[in-house]
Amino acid sequence: MQPFLITHTTSSQIQTLTRYDLDIKSNSRSHHTQLCGEERLIVRRGQPFNIILHLTAGSKDFKPGETGLTLIIETGPLPRKESDTKVTFSITDSTVDTDWSASATYDPSGNTLSLSISSSPDAPIGVYSLTLDQNGKKTSLGQFTLLFNAWCPRDAVYMHSETKRQEYVLAQHGQIYRGTHKRIKGTPWNFGQFEAGILDICLKILDENPKFVSDADKDCSARRNPIYVTRVLSAMINSNDDRGVLVGNWGKIEDGTHPGEWIGSGDILHQWAESGPVCYGQCWVFAAVACTVSRALGIPCRVVTNFGSAHDTDANLVIENLYDEDGKRISGGDSIWNFHVWVDSWMTRPDLGQKFDGWQTSDPTPQETSEGVFCCGPASLKAIKEGELTCDAFIGDAVNADVVDLVLLSTGQFVKFSGSTKSVGCFISTKTVGSDDRRDITHQYKYAEGTAESREQNHIKLADNMMVGSDFEVYAILTNNCMEARTCNFLFFARAVSYKGKQGDSCGVASDKVEVPSGEERRLSLKLEYESYGTAITSDRLIQLSAITIDKETIDFNKAEKTIVLDEPDIKIELLGEANINQSVMTKLTLLNPLPEQLQDCSFTVEGVSLTDSKPITAKIGAVGPKQEAKTTIEFIPTSAGPSVLLVNFDSDKLKNIKSFLNVVVKE
């Protein structure tokens, strides 16, 4: 570094700056950014950070407040005072907590000038340059990165609880819930927001968004606002309108990475930074990556799963299922996803009013357009609950729509035969703060449903053990609650279904014409055999069962429906010895193939923060016979001490999306 002069205004004495110290270790600790490493200065807005200037021997009466020193901070390609992307301020005796300011303390014994610089709690986030100016002579003091600050009461993302800040800003792994509301299963995920290179990639996402490309000055200035940043991320995590991160694919996947194979965000983000949109994602992957980027930028964020998630194409808050007179489903625009995953971010809403502060939903999965772009939110949870949404109303529809089943008669007339106000928006789930348990947050999105008496006569009984690969029986039970005997056609269907609710091939059907005396019941059994369902199901392992009774004489139709998720085999994870920092450790992985056929292209992949050097490690093991064990050992070298999580994924041609995890404590 070239030395430069600081001239003291009260004497002719000249002092030379020999070097400066960004004091990264101390600043990182106080700004909760030490997990980002010590290569550069990363701080959170609205909170002071320190820089130390080392001077040549100087005068004991040196007074920083009288030197005429000013600081210039700049961000973005077009720094401007009017946009608050360029700020100039003097070094005074004290800092303030409402705007950019700086104070200095001179230590003649050490010949150091300690600068305390406080950023505005409303400053745009991003990479800043810092320049020292004395009477027109400017010298660079390097760069720093400024993030949102959940620890600062004046910041829009301020969160009062320290345990919640630890969870929603600092936690690098979590659980994402999937399955059906009757069988909810947590899937481990590595967010890894502090892994090497991730913050730079997150800032690159902001710089590649179309709003920055069209007006960089306006975009950089708007980055002060977490509402704006969250909406940009909602659009940029998917690639539909831009060079966003992930390409969605809900069909047959013959290239790229199957969405069920991902176990962390880091690999996805690195691939995007190197070569553009990554193939492929589905809702939980979009949400997980959005959570990583939000937390990296300092916005508190959680991943949320809505079970029974309505996709209401005509926005009338009603999901209409159409059937013909023989009980066959007629395809329509409305659908109900078995589950759908999005994110909630924490911030104030000055644009809506204080009562709408708090959690805000946004959905990066490209479902619907908003203002012409595939993005959604942020929408206040309190507004969703009160039905006060003015835009992106389909978030409210997803949790509040009613379901109506209609039969289209040969006369062209529609007859309603069943419905529900409870099957949509149930068991809304997120990870509990400080543990891997599930927390039900349905009450934050909606009021409790009424307890209207059900008029359904059918219900479906499941087998106790429904492991994928096995054969099992399910039963539809018809009860006659009428005062007289009834005769009707009794139909029982089984079809593969995706988590989006899209029906696939038939897995079996049973039918009978039954007479049921008053108060009695009849059973109809259906055997589900792997030979039939094995080729029909998707990697979600979901089968939809529908029991329908039809009495054409009285035009009376009745339906019961249940979606089952087949059990999956467990992955046994065993550490062979203690995990010590910078020392190799082996993990043994075992999975029993439950299928009556051979698995091809089998592999195990492991990944963990500070365990696998920010990269997934894959061991390919080839073919595994029916009812045989897939097993391997994988070596990794932990790079830092403390608690971490080792995530494991098993993949093959016929058995995908099998995940597990092991908590690991790395010793010094």
Side-chain angles (χ1 to χ4, degrees):
M1 170 177 296
Q2 293 295 322
F4 74 100
L5 304 181
I6 296 178
T7 305
H8 187 241
T9 57
T10 59
S11 74
S12 59
Q13 188 171 12
I14 292 177
Q15 292 179 311
T16 303
L17 174 68
T18 58
R19 61 187 174 92
Y20 64 83
D21 182 359
L22 295 180
D23 201 10
I24 293 175
K25 192 169 185 177
S26 176
N27 285 321
S28 296
R29 194 163 49 245
S30 62
H31 284 254
H32 310 279
T33 59
Q34 65 268 37
L35 292 173
C36 295
E38 298 181 6
E39 290 74 32
R40 61 181 178 174
L41 179 58
I42 301 170
V43 294
R44 301 183 188 276
R45 65 184 192 174
Q47 180 178 338
F49 60 94
N50 300 314
I51 292 178
I52 302 168
L53 307 182
H54 292 266
L55 312 175
T56 56
S59 163
K60 291 187 177 182
D61 64 353
F62 182 81
K63 298 177 180 178
E66 300 176 5
T67 60
L69 296 177
T70 58
L71 292 172
I72 305 167
I73 62 100
E74 298 176 301
T75 187
L78 301 166
R80 293 195 320 135
K81 178 181 178 182
E82 296 77 9
S83 303
D84 288 326
T85 51
K86 178 178 181 178
V87 182
T88 302
F89 49 98
S90 299
I91 297 176
T92 59
D93 293 328
S94 62
T95 59
V96 297
D97 59 6
T98 56
D99 207 344
W100 287 97
S101 60
S103 62
T105 304
Y106 179 60
D107 179 6
S109 63
N111 298 309
T112 58
L113 187 66
S114 296
L115 299 181
S116 176
I117 302 170
S118 185
S119 60
S120 165
D122 191 38
I125 63 163
V127 178
Y128 282 82
S129 64
L130 178 62
T131 304
L132 185 67
D133 183 350
Q134 186 194 22
N135 302 322
K137 181 177 178 59
K138 297 177 181 177
T139 303
S140 171
L141 297 182
Q143 290 186 326
F144 63 93
T145 301
L146 189 68
L147 306 178
F148 291 108
N149 192 356
W151 285 261
C152 174
R154 293 180 180 271
D155 197 304
V157 303
Y158 173 67
M159 193 168 245
H160 180 72
S161 164
E162 175 60 23
T163 55
K164 289 182 179 179
R165 294 190 292 247
Q166 292 288 329
E167 178 72 42
Y168 298 129
V169 180
L170 300 183
Q172 293 199 79
H173 73 276
Q175 295 281 323
I176 301 173
Y177 296 95
R178 300 168 58 196
T180 72
H181 73 276
K182 293 286 189 181
R183 296 175 75 83
I184 298 173
K185 181 174 178 61
T187 299
W189 191 270
N190 177 19
F191 297 117
Q193 66 268 30
F194 300 118
E195 291 182 4
I198 293 298
L199 178 56
D200 285 333
I201 296 171
C202 295
L203 294 170
K204 178 182 171 71
I205 290 171
L206 297 183
D207 285 350
E208 294 223 355
N209 98 81
K211 294 180 179 179
F212 176 84
V213 174
S214 64
D215 191 338
D217 175 56
K218 185 178 179 182
D219 176 80
C220 287
S221 179
R223 293 181 192 179
R224 70 178 67 246
N225 187 347
I227 302 169
Y228 177 85
V229 172
T230 298
R231 189 161 178 83
V232 166
L233 295 181
S234 174
M236 282 297 296
I237 299 302
N238 70 73
S239 65
N240 282 48
D241 305 289
D242 41 51
R243 291 188 73 260
V245 177
L246 277 160
V247 180
N249 189 341
W250 288 265
K252 189 174 182 180
I253 294 173
E254 297 177 339
D255 61 344
T257 300
H258 189 285
E261 292 181 37
W262 302 114
I263 53 178
S265 303
D267 199 21
I268 296 170
L269 290 168
H270 281 293
Q271 284 190 38
W272 174 80
E274 291 166 8
S275 54
V278 178
C279 301
Y280 290 105
Q282 292 179 4
C283 69
W284 70 92
V285 187
F286 287 108
V289 173
C291 183
T292 293
V293 179
S294 297
R295 290 183 182 182
L297 299 177
I299 301 173
C301 190
R302 65 186 184 187
V303 177
V304 174
T305 303
N306 177 36
F307 289 94
S309 192
H311 188 87
D312 182 17
T313 55
D314 51 10
N316 65 351
L317 273 177
V318 178
I319 302 298
E320 295 163 332
N321 297 323
L322 305 180
Y323 297 83
D324 65 18
E325 287 186 344
D326 297 318
K328 184 178 179 182
R329 182 77 176 266
I330 302 171
S331 61
D334 291 350
S335 62
I336 299 176
W337 295 22
N338 285 284
F339 65 88
H340 184 46
V341 187
W342 55 60
V343 291
D344 288 345
S345 303
W346 182 270
M347 65 194 71
T348 59
R349 290 305 297 263
D351 57 325
L352 299 178
Q354 190 173 356
K355 73 173 184 176
F356 294 115
D357 290 350
W359 289 117
Q360 315 289 321
T361 292
S362 62
D363 187 357
T365 300
Q367 291 190 83
E368 302 276 354
T369 58
S370 174
E371 298 176 347
V373 177
F374 276 97
C375 67
C376 174
S380 162
L381 261 66
K382 293 172 184 174
I384 293 171
K385 186 171 182 176
E386 299 298 335
E388 296 188 30
L389 284 179
T390 56
C391 68
D392 293 347
F394 52 90
I395 300 177
D397 298 347
V399 300
N400 282 314
D402 294 338
V403 180
V404 174
D405 296 317
L406 301 169
V407 174
L408 176 60
L409 303 179
S410 56
T411 61
Q413 178 186 2
F414 286 100
V415 175
K416 177 181 175 181
F417 66 96
S418 65
S420 172
T421 60
K422 299 181 182 180
S423 59
V424 165
C426 53
F427 295 90
I428 302 175
S429 303
T430 193
K431 178 184 172 297
T432 298
V433 172
S435 84
D436 287 320
D437 296 334
R438 183 184 73 88
R439 183 186 177 205
D440 193 300
I441 55 171
T442 310
H443 64 284
Q444 295 183 12
Y445 278 85
K446 58 194 292 188
Y447 290 103
E449 302 286 359
T451 55
E453 183 181 352
S454 172
R455 299 180 65 246
E456 291 182 352
Q457 295 176 302
N458 301 346
H459 72 274
I460 295 170
K461 181 176 175 60
L462 303 178
D464 292 331
N465 179 22
M466 296 184 293
M467 173 66 71
V468 61
S470 63
D471 301 340
F472 49 90
E473 277 193 307
V474 290
Y475 300 90
I477 302 173
L478 169 63
T479 305
N480 184 2
N481 293 325
C482 301
M483 298 299 293
E484 65 279 344
R486 301 291 292 269
T487 300
C488 59
N489 291 326
F490 196 3
L491 307 175
F492 196 13
F493 304 100
R495 302 186 75 92
V497 65
S498 74
Y499 84 91
K500 286 182 63 177
K502 183 180 179 181
Q503 290 189 335
D505 294 337
S506 173
C507 302
V509 61
S511 64
D512 196 7
K513 187 168 185 176
V514 296
E515 181 178 348
V516 191
S518 175
E520 295 190 15
E521 67 178 34
R522 293 290 182 268
R523 282 191 173 209
L524 191 58
S525 68
L526 179 60
K527 188 168 186 180
L528 295 180
E529 299 177 320
Y530 177 74
E531 186 177 351
S532 298
Y533 72 73
T535 56
I537 59 173
T538 69
S539 61
D540 302 317
R541 292 182 285 280
L542 297 172
I543 297 175
Q544 188 179 72
L545 304 174
S546 301
I548 297 177
T549 56
I550 302 170
D551 186 342
K552 291 187 179 180
E553 290 186 10
T554 59
I555 315 182
D556 189 14
F557 297 79
N558 207 276
K559 184 191 81 166
E561 200 163 75
K562 185 168 288 188
T563 299
I564 60 176
V565 54
L566 300 177
D567 294 332
E568 62 190 44
D570 293 326
I571 301 175
K572 184 180 178 183
I573 311 170
E574 183 182 0
L575 280 189
L576 303 179
E578 286 188 341
N580 295 306
I581 188 170
N582 297 326
Q583 293 183 16
S584 170
V585 62
M586 303 290 288
T587 179
K588 182 180 178 183
L589 308 171
T590 310
L591 175 141
L592 178 67
N593 174 15
L595 306 187
E597 60 181 328
Q598 190 176 70
L599 299 176
Q600 302 286 346
D601 303 322
C602 298
S603 66
F604 286 98
T605 299
V606 301
E607 181 181 333
V609 173
S610 301
L611 298 178
T612 63
D613 194 26
S614 304
K615 301 180 186 70
I617 303 172
T618 298
K620 297 182 179 181
I621 55 176
V624 175
K627 309 298 181 181
Q628 298 298 305
E629 283 188 339
K631 50 189 175 183
T632 192
T633 56
I634 293 180
E635 178 184 17
F636 61 92
I637 302 175
T639 55
S640 64
S644 188
V645 180
L646 185 71
L647 278 66
V648 182
N649 181 69
F650 175 81
D651 188 50
S652 68
D653 61 335
K654 300 181 183 70
L655 200 59
K656 293 182 177 292
N657 205 11
I658 310 295
K659 291 179 170 58
S660 189
F661 69 98
L662 180 71
N663 290 312
V664 177
V665 177
V666 180
K667 297 181 179 179
E668 291 283 1

